[in-house]
Amino acid sequence: MKVSIVVPCYKNEGTIASVVRDIKQQTYLNWELIIVGNGSDQDPQREIVESEAEEDTRIIYLSIEEKGVSRARNKGVSVATGEWLAFVDADDCVPSRWLENFLSHASKSPDIIIGGISYKDILSNKVKRADLSLDSDEVYSDVASEFIPLFLSDIAATYSPCTKLYNLGFIRRSKILFRDDMSIYEDGIFNLQLALECRSMCFFRQTGYEYCLYPSTSSVGRFHSSMDDAVKIRRELLCKVLLRGGFSEMEIDHKMASMLAADALDTILNLYRVGSPFGFRDKRRQLQRVYNDPKLIKAWKVFNPPMGNIPLVLFRIFHALRAPTFCLVTFHFLFGIRKFWRKINAAVRFS
């Protein structure tokens, strides 16, 4: 069975060679690597990939002018020729048995195979495993009320495309692609849409995929103009997936309240991210709008944030006190510290 591996690549000349080497060292040999360069400034990464492709015809470099990870992924999917489809980010790592581990669970040809993930801190070089919590090494199901709860039990299992191996036939039949009109949550929306169409899933504990944490380059540090639309669409899809999974009305209310509260906080934090056009008065006006949202007021009656989630707990307190100005001043202070810390980390990384 052939696996098509799609890697979106934008200004990744510093890491793409490492990704190519990781794929070339796979113990499973029947693969094609489709690297999609997007944006106009591609020459450095193109040269690196094409140099590798001269030695291995399984490596393909495609070029598109449009920027955006979704456009790049969709382009890769459109030309893929394998039975299975995998996604790798251009700055992450995969061990040599990564594909072999996936395909050892492909005997029943599920629509999606899902595993855990590891998080690698680039500064400390420490790796933290996040295995899926399963009762056995492998769980296969073709019953939605069985596989949907497992699918929703772990954030990476639900949202990350890198923890999954997709049946390419299923992807083509579903006609579902990544939303290219959004710069955030597009991968989660993609997977929630697939969960509504999926007929079967197979889960195993650990994929081996290493998601690399770079303190100065995370997408969560950038302002996203599509945030409001993205959180709304994601919530609507989650509600449909919960219904398909047979969750009770009480469980659905709690999960939806939890997501709405987290989305409200993320909407506010987005105002402070790099590239945000909002000044202090604009932020206060936006914050007041969030505070007065009757859905958020109702959500707090259903959901209490866990004490370990400090930002959400603080937001809950600020909302209960009805103190938007104090909330703004606090976030200004915290984001100032965060910006300073990122600069230090970046200086250490590149020194």
Side-chain angles (χ1 to χ4, degrees):
M1 295 179 290
K2 185 178 181 180
V3 181
S4 297
I5 307 162
V6 175
V7 181
C9 194
Y10 176 66
K11 293 185 177 180
N12 292 113
E13 55 268 19
T15 58
I16 190 61
S18 176
V19 171
V20 173
R21 285 195 296 270
D22 282 354
I23 302 303
K24 291 175 71 173
Q25 292 172 3
Q26 291 298 302
T27 55
Y28 189 84
L29 302 178
N30 192 10
W31 51 261
E32 64 177 357
L33 176 59
I34 305 169
I35 298 174
V36 185
N38 62 106
S40 57
D41 186 14
Q42 301 186 50
D43 288 344
Q45 61 189 31
R46 178 197 291 271
E47 291 177 7
I48 294 169
V49 175
E50 289 184 347
S51 174
E52 296 285 348
E54 289 178 359
E55 302 174 2
D56 196 325
T57 57
R58 295 173 296 177
I59 302 171
I60 304 165
Y61 185 86
L62 301 177
S63 174
I64 58 174
E65 289 298 317
E66 300 90 350
K67 284 168 51 178
V69 65
S70 291
R71 289 189 177 97
R73 284 173 174 161
N74 290 341
K75 180 63 176 179
V77 173
S78 71
V79 302
T81 62
E83 287 79 31
W84 295 94
L85 175 69
F87 294 100
V88 175
D89 288 344
D91 55 0
D92 288 341
C93 305
V94 290
S96 61
R97 296 176 64 89
W98 170 65
L99 286 179
E100 184 180 339
N101 287 340
F102 261 129
L103 289 163
S104 66
H105 301 280
S107 60
K108 296 181 180 178
S109 296
D111 287 337
I112 308 176
I113 304 173
I114 304 177
I117 197 169
S118 295
Y119 297 95
K120 183 176 183 179
D121 189 311
I122 296 301
L123 289 179
S124 66
N125 204 35
K126 293 182 178 179
V127 177
K128 180 181 179 181
R129 288 179 55 171
D131 295 1
L132 294 186
S133 297
L134 303 172
D135 293 332
S136 58
D137 291 337
E138 176 184 292
V139 176
Y140 169 87
S141 176
D142 56 7
V143 179
S145 60
E146 294 176 355
F147 65 71
I148 291 293
L150 281 175
F151 171 75
L152 295 175
S153 65
D154 181 276
I155 291 177
T158 306
Y159 298 128
S160 174
C162 299
T163 60
K164 301 172 181 66
L165 194 65
Y166 301 90
N167 187 306
L168 188 55
F170 162 61
I171 297 293
R172 296 259 166 84
R173 289 192 302 273
S174 73
K175 298 181 180 179
I176 293 170
L177 295 173
F178 290 90
R179 294 283 298 255
D180 60 11
D181 57 340
M182 296 178 179
S183 60
I184 191 168
Y185 301 148
E186 71 284 346
D187 45 4
I189 289 171
F190 172 75
N191 282 310
L192 287 171
Q193 287 178 308
L194 290 178
L196 290 174
E197 303 293 331
C198 186
R199 299 165 304 183
S200 59
M201 292 186 186
C202 183
F203 303 84
F204 68 108
R205 288 197 175 95
Q206 179 55 247
T207 67
Y209 189 98
E210 291 184 0
Y211 182 87
C212 295
L213 302 171
Y214 296 90
S216 61
T217 58
S218 174
S219 65
V220 298
R222 301 194 304 270
F223 173 77
H224 299 276
S225 60
S226 59
M227 173 70 78
D228 287 346
D229 289 338
V231 296
K232 181 181 178 181
I233 292 170
R234 189 176 63 160
R235 283 201 303 270
E236 290 174 351
L237 287 170
L238 176 62
C239 186
K240 292 178 181 178
V241 172
L242 288 168
L243 287 169
R244 189 185 183 209
F247 286 80
S248 69
E249 184 176 346
M250 183 179 296
E251 290 172 321
I252 292 175
D253 286 346
H254 184 271
K255 287 183 180 294
M256 295 307 299
S258 170
M259 174 165 275
L260 192 145
D263 286 346
L265 174 60
D266 210 13
T267 298
I268 294 172
L269 297 180
N270 188 50
L271 304 176
Y272 292 84
R273 290 171 178 153
V274 176
S276 171
F278 296 102
F280 187 87
R281 290 182 179 178
D282 292 327
K283 291 174 183 175
R284 193 183 190 285
R285 188 160 48 247
Q286 293 283 340
L287 181 60
Q288 195 69 54
R289 178 179 64 84
V290 173
Y291 265 45
N292 294 331
D293 184 351
K295 292 181 180 179
L296 179 60
I297 296 172
K298 182 180 178 181
W300 291 129
K301 296 178 181 179
V302 178
F303 167 72
N304 286 315
M307 294 306 295
N309 192 335
I310 296 176
L312 201 56
V313 170
L314 285 175
F315 179 54
R316 174 72 180 96
I317 294 172
F318 290 146
H319 190 269
L321 294 174
R322 309 297 294 172
T325 301
F326 182 59
C327 181
L328 280 178
V329 171
T330 302
F331 282 139
H332 266 286
F333 175 72
L334 293 175
F335 267 80
I337 293 176
R338 183 180 184 226
K339 185 176 181 181
F340 177 71
W341 182 246
R342 280 174 174 264
K343 286 183 177 180
I344 292 177
N345 281 338
V348 170
R349 177 186 169 202
F350 292 111
S351 63

